[in-house]
Amino acid sequence: MTCSGKMRILSRSLVVICTTSEFFLRLWMLQYWEDRLLRAKALGLNTIQTYVPWNLHEPKPGKFVFEGIADLVSFIKLCQKLDLLVMLRAGPYICGEWDLGGFPAWLLAVKPPLKLRTGDPAYLKLVERWWNVLLPKVFPLLYSNGGPVIMVQIENEYGSYGNDKAYLCDLVTMATGHLGNDIILYTTDGGTRETLEKGTIPLYDVYSAVDFSTGDDPWPIFELQKKFNAPGRSPPLSSEFYTGWLTHWGEKIAKTDAEFTAASLEKILSRNGSAVLYMVHGGTNLGFYNGANTGSDESDYKPDLTSYDYDAPIKESGDIDNPKFKALQRVIKKYSAAPHSITPSNKKRKAYGPIKMQRTMSLFDLMSMTDPVDMITSANPISMESAGQMFGFLVYESSYISKKSGNILKIPKVHDRAQVFVSCLSQDVDEGVLRYIGTTERWNDQPVSIPTTECTSDTSLFILVENMGRVNYGPYIFDEKGILSPVYLDGQVLQGWKMIPIPFHNLNQMPNFSFEMQHTKNRSEPFELTNELGQKEPALFAGEFSINSVEEIKDTYLSFNSWGKGVAFVNKFNIGRYWPSVGPQCNLYVPAPVLKPGKNYVVIFELESPHVDLLLESVYQENFTCGSNESKVNQL
């Protein structure tokens, strides 16, 4: 099978790529785009490779966003201003440890269900609608039109997932229809014969790049790569040269040796090969955009940390005074013809000290604020996506008759974590009080024992489900969230449900209530921390700290030591999830552009166990020592 259309194929004489990197995806602060790009340039890079996450740009069907943090065109033009070329990974699937591999979660709610990453006409129609918006923005930025974009990627590591050549050809046809034939389209696949046979497109249509583990002998893999490219048109390119690795919650932070990494890169560059440094700067999984992986089955769920430091040469905070940056810079300078800018100094950071928090809203308060129009009722629970909520939390409410001997609750399939509460809402004395019963999880779906209650009528049941990030790689990427099965009480299906959204939204949407302490709703009764189960009701906690002047605004970190699990906001900006009891991440990075002179407001949604003194602390640096010391780094 061949794809329609012809295009210029990469040749050694077209452009010499030294080293490139992934950018834009997690570089949220527009004010930091140039700073991080200059640091990459100081390393010796001449090209930037960047993803285009579909879900960032089309958060709702037909609603396209290319402003603010989603301003892809401005980012590409900035690269050109700094004399950096661009390799654009346009998707529609990008992987990238990004929620659902970049697919909008609303695709999971389409009925009948779409067959993602296939030739399914309904799926391709939505891809076409998306690319009809995206690719015309890219066209003026192509190298042939005077722009910096030299290559555009089709799909991503498709050979590790499927074998639908017609689907890949459909993507090529769409791309060339907008970009013309004077563009290099490329694929990336693992450096094995099987993945290349499945994921590549016939020789004269698309250039085939490879990726492989750092430390592997690259040249036998590059020889294999030649077999999947046109004769004489297969410059060796490792499109993902791993400078570090990702980390999931519950693992030790991933670290790789600087000299080993540099020596592995030199094996490629010393023989006129090229490489993409993945990552040169990882950044942060701010908001709810982190991805996840799975092991042997979909219940073996491994969500990614908020930090995406990746042990990259440019650290999460932008720091470059580290052995890996220096070692890679030394190697790159030996082989790169690119001019090297002056190496910037590390950015200054500041510890603003303790922040006293106070409880402002309970989970019940949050539910009571939800507009009844946004609530959904059904006989059985429905997924978050079907409820129209793509991120955050969803409360499932039902009722049951309590037995004197207690009841047993079983949820066979929950994505990802469910906290169970009961209440006697019909009794004035208990109005608004939720009693914590237990937690069941995707990776440990044990039944929950519900003790008997003394309600005068049916007992109200509340299940708070957290979406911890969708799977982005492998066969289980069809990762709906919420309760995805019937709920069983004493072996019988419990029916009659209300779904109450607690979304908190994502980075390009502001929450719909004020976070400033003087405007938050306060419970009339005092809040005292005890060890009783009933006090484990999730709640919002708010605090503030002051910065005297613009000159004092610096990057900082919030330490969550001795807190439980939750999500944090600074001045309404979602800085991500914390879970110090599981670790390894203790602190969350707060970029300076989030802060302002005067009062700065911190709000956290704590799910389990607040700090006994209700204290957060603004500290100077990262900390990856939380959780069990017995955890191991996971290698995919």
Side-chain angles (χ1 to χ4, degrees), residues 471-515:
V471 173
N472 59 263
Y473 179 82
Y476 305 113
I477 62 168
F478 303 91
D479 190 15
E480 289 182 285
K481 297 301 184 181
I483 295 177
L484 308 178
S485 66
V487 174
Y488 295 89
L489 190 72
D490 302 323
Q492 301 296 314
V493 174
L494 182 62
Q495 293 190 317
W497 291 89
K498 180 190 296 181
M499 273 59 67
I500 306 168
I502 312 286
F504 290 119
H505 299 297
N506 221 318
L507 291 171
N508 46 3
Q509 289 180 283
M510 288 295 182
N512 60 1
F513 54 89
S514 173
F515 282 142

Side-chain angles (χ1 to χ4, degrees), residues 18-195:
C18 259
T19 46
T20 70
S21 178
E22 304 295 346
F23 260 98
F24 183 65
L25 200 61
R26 293 175 173 85
L27 196 51
W28 294 107
M29 300 295 106
L30 282 70
Q31 299 91 327
Y32 279 179
W33 284 0
E34 186 163 351
D35 173 84
R36 300 303 197 264
L37 289 171
L38 287 173
R39 292 168 191 272
K41 193 170 182 180
L43 186 61
L45 309 193
N46 63 3
T47 305
I48 296 299
Q49 180 169 264
T50 186
Y51 286 121
V52 184
W54 183 0
N55 53 8
L56 178 67
H57 296 286
E58 194 180 0
K60 295 180 179 180
K63 178 185 178 181
F64 296 97
V65 179
F66 284 91
E67 298 82 33
I69 60 174
D71 192 349
L72 176 66
V73 171
S74 291
F75 180 80
I76 294 174
K77 287 182 176 179
L78 178 59
C79 291
Q80 185 172 26
K81 172 190 168 186
L82 299 176
D83 294 322
L84 291 163
L85 298 170
V86 173
M87 297 167 64
L88 192 68
R89 302 179 74 156
Y93 165 80
I94 63 171
C95 189
E97 286 77 67
W98 188 264
D99 188 83
L100 199 58
F103 283 131
W106 51 260
L107 292 176
L108 301 176
V110 175
K111 302 298 179 188
L114 299 174
K115 297 176 182 177
L116 304 182
R117 305 183 75 185
T118 73
D120 174 11
Y123 161 67
L124 285 174
K125 184 177 181 180
L126 292 171
V127 174
E128 185 173 24
R129 184 180 73 182
W130 157 230
W131 275 8
N132 284 347
V133 174
L134 171 67
L135 297 183
K137 295 179 183 293
V138 174
F139 180 73
L141 303 169
L142 297 181
Y143 191 76
S144 58
N145 294 328
V149 178
I150 56 170
M151 300 170 67
V152 175
Q153 187 193 37
I154 298 296
E155 251 276 354
N156 185 70
E157 295 183 326
Y158 187 69
S160 299
Y161 179 83
N163 190 23
D164 188 342
K165 300 290 186 182
Y167 162 57
L168 296 177
C169 285
D170 285 336
L171 295 181
V172 170
T173 301
M174 286 185 207
T176 54
H178 288 287
L179 304 179
N181 294 327
D182 196 19
I183 177 62
I184 303 161
L185 298 183
Y186 73 108
T187 57
T188 297
D189 284 288
T192 69
R193 182 173 294 276
E194 179 184 3
T195 53

Side-chain angles (χ1 to χ4, degrees), residues 26 93 95-101 246-249 285 288-295 298 300-305 416 442 467-474 476-477 479 481 577 634 636:
R26 293 175 173 85
Y93 165 80
C95 189
E97 286 77 67
W98 188 264
D99 188 83
L100 199 58
L246 62 111
T247 305
H248 304 117
W249 291 107
N285 288 314
F288 297 125
Y289 281 118
N290 69 278
N293 290 291
T294 51
E298 65 175 310
D300 187 11
Y301 173 73
K302 306 173 189 294
D304 299 333
L305 294 184
D416 298 303
R442 177 172 179 168
N467 166 0
M468 293 177 60
R470 292 180 182 83
V471 173
N472 59 263
Y473 179 82
Y476 305 113
I477 62 168
D479 190 15
K481 297 301 184 181
R577 311 171 196 269
N634 179 66
L636 295 180

Side-chain angles (χ1 to χ4, degrees), residues 449-464:
S449 296
I450 305 178
T452 188
T453 63
E454 307 257 337
C455 298
T456 56
S457 59
D458 289 359
T459 302
S460 295
L461 173 70
F462 298 89
I463 304 173
L464 175 67

